[in-house]
Amino acid sequence: MDNELRIIISGGGTGGHIFPAISIANAIKAKRPDAKILFVGALGKMEMQRVPAAGYEIKGLPICGFDRKHLLKNVVVLFKIWKSERMAKRIIKDFKPMAAVGVGGFASGPTLNMCAAKGIPCLIQEQNSYAGVTNKLLAKKAAKICVAYDNMERFFPKDKIVMTGNPVRQNVLNVKLTPQEARKQFGLDPDKKTILLVGGSLGARTVNESVRQHFDMVKANPDVQFIWQTGKYYNEEMKKALSDYGPLPNLKQMDFIADMGTAYKAADLVISRAGASSISEFCLIGKPVILVPSPNVAEDHQTKNAMALVNKNAAVYVKDSEAADVLLKQALAIVHDDKQLASLSQNIAKLGLKDSADVIADEVIKLAQHGTERY
């Protein structure tokens, strides 16, 4: 067998899992251009489109999560798990990886279980401050566990933990524009205070309602301008609400922002959900942020992510159930307070861990060098 580096990367389901996975793959390729990297994802999930678009091959498993509301449907889930494990076993036999990386999400379970059973060294990357179920189950079999928050020994063996931070999208970090130039790209006044509202690519009902219910407040503050990403699920509804209300020159509404780096640069303050990848980006660019954690995630991990920052005076927290009433008012108060903006920026920047993808790639390559002994 030749000495080319062969790595499996598995997981996905959300951008918060996929973006770090692709960043790790890119870092491995930068260090070892000869590396062969194969992704394993879940059929029907967004990784099946995003990974090939990034230039990598991906295999799909028919894996899905348990249905806690309809227990009888889990007979099908158990069959899919069994089938996914058989498929993962075949993929591993054919590809012969030297190491495996799990980033969380359904597919990483059967893939890393099968790799561990064959003695292939495994690394898992946990993005959140509260470990996901899949990663907690895989921890005993993993050789290394890369984390982004303190106190993760609550979930994982301390001797396996490596503090790396979360890999982020490079195009967010490498923006050369000034804030004034970035605002001009959105057709906004280059010199006005700017608030960016994002709820992810699909959107967030709560963040959108916080704007829709307070168009009068937007109108009453013409010295502040807003970039409002509604997400594709809510775009038509919110666009109609804005049209019915009438012109708001200081509110720029769109369904999706392709260039988030420029949007972040344009903003004095960001309003966002509390996904781990987004938080890591805010830390690295030192961006003041109000976090509105989604209540619709496993084990309320977004609130735990947010509080890890709030407890260090590095972000502001607004509860989802209260956001429609208080979010916009609070954002306007903060964006006018230069002292608070500066304090938030300084405190959140202290939490940023640079070069996370490179550090993780080094750990993977080291594990793979041990894995070569198998073939």
Short mmCIF file of all heavy atoms in Angstrom, two decimals, residues 52 59 64 82 93 110 121 136 140 149 206 208 219 221 238 284 291-292 305 316 354:
data_model
loop_
_atom_site.label_atom_id
_atom_site.label_comp_id
_atom_site.label_asym_id
_atom_site.label_seq_id
_atom_site.Cartn_x
_atom_site.Cartn_y
_atom_site.Cartn_z
N PRO A 52 -19.72 18.53 -1.90
CA PRO A 52 -19.26 18.51 -3.30
C PRO A 52 -18.99 19.91 -3.84
O PRO A 52 -18.05 20.10 -4.64
CB PRO A 52 -20.42 17.84 -4.04
CG PRO A 52 -21.09 17.00 -3.00
CD PRO A 52 -20.98 17.80 -1.73
N LYS A 59 -20.01 10.33 0.56
CA LYS A 59 -20.90 9.18 0.53
C LYS A 59 -22.03 9.43 1.53
O LYS A 59 -21.80 9.93 2.63
CB LYS A 59 -20.16 7.90 0.93
CG LYS A 59 -18.95 7.57 0.07
CD LYS A 59 -19.32 7.00 -1.27
CE LYS A 59 -18.08 6.51 -2.01
NZ LYS A 59 -18.42 5.98 -3.35
N CYS A 64 -30.85 8.56 10.41
CA CYS A 64 -31.70 9.66 10.90
C CYS A 64 -31.79 9.54 12.42
O CYS A 64 -31.35 8.56 13.01
CB CYS A 64 -33.08 9.64 10.25
SG CYS A 64 -34.03 8.16 10.62
N TRP A 82 -28.84 0.19 11.43
CA TRP A 82 -28.21 -1.08 11.06
C TRP A 82 -27.68 -1.02 9.62
O TRP A 82 -26.53 -1.41 9.36
CB TRP A 82 -29.23 -2.22 11.21
CG TRP A 82 -28.73 -3.55 10.71
CD1 TRP A 82 -27.92 -4.43 11.37
CD2 TRP A 82 -29.02 -4.15 9.44
NE1 TRP A 82 -27.68 -5.54 10.59
CE2 TRP A 82 -28.33 -5.40 9.41
CE3 TRP A 82 -29.78 -3.76 8.33
CZ2 TRP A 82 -28.40 -6.25 8.31
CZ3 TRP A 82 -29.84 -4.61 7.23
CH2 TRP A 82 -29.16 -5.84 7.23
N LYS A 93 -13.80 -0.25 4.33
CA LYS A 93 -13.01 -1.32 3.71
C LYS A 93 -12.46 -0.88 2.36
O LYS A 93 -11.31 -1.17 2.01
CB LYS A 93 -13.88 -2.57 3.55
CG LYS A 93 -13.13 -3.77 3.00
CD LYS A 93 -14.03 -4.99 2.90
CE LYS A 93 -13.27 -6.19 2.33
NZ LYS A 93 -14.16 -7.38 2.19
N PRO A 110 -22.32 5.94 13.15
CA PRO A 110 -21.93 4.66 12.55
C PRO A 110 -20.55 4.69 11.91
O PRO A 110 -19.82 3.69 11.97
CB PRO A 110 -23.02 4.41 11.50
CG PRO A 110 -23.70 5.71 11.29
CD PRO A 110 -23.57 6.47 12.57
N PRO A 121 -7.59 5.14 14.28
CA PRO A 121 -7.68 6.21 15.28
C PRO A 121 -8.69 7.28 14.88
O PRO A 121 -8.77 7.68 13.72
CB PRO A 121 -6.26 6.78 15.33
CG PRO A 121 -5.59 6.32 14.08
CD PRO A 121 -6.24 5.05 13.68
N LYS A 136 -20.78 12.42 22.77
CA LYS A 136 -20.63 11.83 24.11
C LYS A 136 -20.52 10.30 24.01
O LYS A 136 -19.73 9.67 24.73
CB LYS A 136 -21.81 12.22 25.00
CG LYS A 136 -21.69 13.64 25.54
CD LYS A 136 -22.70 13.95 26.64
CE LYS A 136 -24.07 14.23 26.09
NZ LYS A 136 -25.00 14.74 27.13
N LYS A 140 -15.50 7.62 24.30
CA LYS A 140 -14.69 6.52 24.84
C LYS A 140 -13.80 5.89 23.78
O LYS A 140 -12.74 5.36 24.08
CB LYS A 140 -15.60 5.46 25.45
CG LYS A 140 -16.32 5.91 26.72
CD LYS A 140 -17.21 4.81 27.26
CE LYS A 140 -17.96 5.28 28.51
NZ LYS A 140 -18.86 4.23 29.03
N TYR A 149 -14.60 25.20 24.22
CA TYR A 149 -15.00 25.83 25.48
C TYR A 149 -14.27 25.19 26.66
O TYR A 149 -13.85 24.03 26.60
CB TYR A 149 -16.52 25.68 25.69
CG TYR A 149 -17.35 26.52 24.76
CD1 TYR A 149 -17.75 26.01 23.52
CD2 TYR A 149 -17.74 27.81 25.08
CE1 TYR A 149 -18.52 26.76 22.64
CE2 TYR A 149 -18.51 28.57 24.21
CZ TYR A 149 -18.89 28.04 23.00
OH TYR A 149 -19.65 28.79 22.14
N THR A 206 -38.41 34.20 15.56
CA THR A 206 -38.34 35.18 16.64
C THR A 206 -37.61 36.44 16.22
O THR A 206 -38.07 37.56 16.48
CB THR A 206 -37.64 34.56 17.86
OG1 THR A 206 -38.40 33.44 18.31
CG2 THR A 206 -37.53 35.56 19.00
N ASN A 208 -37.18 37.59 13.22
CA ASN A 208 -37.99 38.30 12.22
C ASN A 208 -39.17 39.04 12.86
O ASN A 208 -39.47 40.19 12.49
CB ASN A 208 -38.50 37.31 11.17
CG ASN A 208 -37.41 36.86 10.22
OD1 ASN A 208 -36.48 37.61 9.95
ND2 ASN A 208 -37.50 35.64 9.74
N LYS A 219 -38.63 53.24 12.01
CA LYS A 219 -38.91 54.53 11.38
C LYS A 219 -38.53 55.70 12.29
O LYS A 219 -38.06 56.75 11.82
CB LYS A 219 -40.40 54.62 11.02
CG LYS A 219 -40.76 55.81 10.15
CD LYS A 219 -42.21 55.71 9.70
CE LYS A 219 -42.56 56.82 8.73
NZ LYS A 219 -43.96 56.69 8.23
N ASN A 221 -36.12 55.91 14.28
CA ASN A 221 -34.68 56.01 14.50
C ASN A 221 -33.93 56.08 13.17
O ASN A 221 -33.16 55.16 12.82
CB ASN A 221 -34.19 54.82 15.32
CG ASN A 221 -34.61 54.89 16.77
OD1 ASN A 221 -33.91 55.47 17.60
ND2 ASN A 221 -35.77 54.31 17.09
N MET A 238 -42.25 38.26 5.25
CA MET A 238 -41.69 39.49 5.80
C MET A 238 -41.61 40.59 4.75
O MET A 238 -41.80 41.77 5.04
CB MET A 238 -40.30 39.21 6.39
CG MET A 238 -40.34 38.25 7.57
SD MET A 238 -41.38 38.88 8.94
CE MET A 238 -41.86 37.34 9.74
N LEU A 284 -13.54 35.87 16.81
CA LEU A 284 -12.33 36.13 16.02
C LEU A 284 -12.33 37.51 15.37
O LEU A 284 -11.27 38.07 15.13
CB LEU A 284 -12.16 35.04 14.96
CG LEU A 284 -11.70 33.69 15.52
CD1 LEU A 284 -11.84 32.59 14.48
CD2 LEU A 284 -10.26 33.76 16.01
N LEU A 291 -27.16 37.87 21.56
CA LEU A 291 -27.47 36.48 21.25
C LEU A 291 -28.89 36.14 21.70
O LEU A 291 -29.26 36.40 22.84
CB LEU A 291 -26.47 35.55 21.92
CG LEU A 291 -25.01 35.71 21.45
CD1 LEU A 291 -24.06 34.91 22.33
CD2 LEU A 291 -24.87 35.30 19.99
N VAL A 292 -29.64 35.55 20.76
CA VAL A 292 -31.00 35.09 21.03
C VAL A 292 -31.01 33.58 20.78
O VAL A 292 -31.32 33.13 19.67
CB VAL A 292 -32.04 35.80 20.14
CG1 VAL A 292 -33.46 35.45 20.58
CG2 VAL A 292 -31.83 37.31 20.15
N ASN A 305 -24.17 27.92 25.13
CA ASN A 305 -23.14 28.63 24.36
C ASN A 305 -23.16 30.13 24.68
O ASN A 305 -22.12 30.75 24.89
CB ASN A 305 -23.39 28.47 22.85
CG ASN A 305 -23.14 27.07 22.34
OD1 ASN A 305 -22.56 26.24 23.02
ND2 ASN A 305 -23.57 26.81 21.12
N VAL A 316 -24.41 40.01 24.93
CA VAL A 316 -25.68 40.30 25.60
C VAL A 316 -26.66 39.19 25.25
O VAL A 316 -26.70 38.73 24.10
CB VAL A 316 -26.23 41.67 25.16
CG1 VAL A 316 -27.60 41.92 25.76
CG2 VAL A 316 -25.25 42.78 25.55
N LYS A 354 -7.36 31.40 17.41
CA LYS A 354 -6.99 31.46 15.99
C LYS A 354 -6.44 30.13 15.49
O LYS A 354 -6.00 29.30 16.26
CB LYS A 354 -5.94 32.56 15.78
CG LYS A 354 -6.45 33.96 16.10
CD LYS A 354 -5.38 35.00 15.86
CE LYS A 354 -5.91 36.40 16.16
NZ LYS A 354 -4.87 37.44 15.97
#
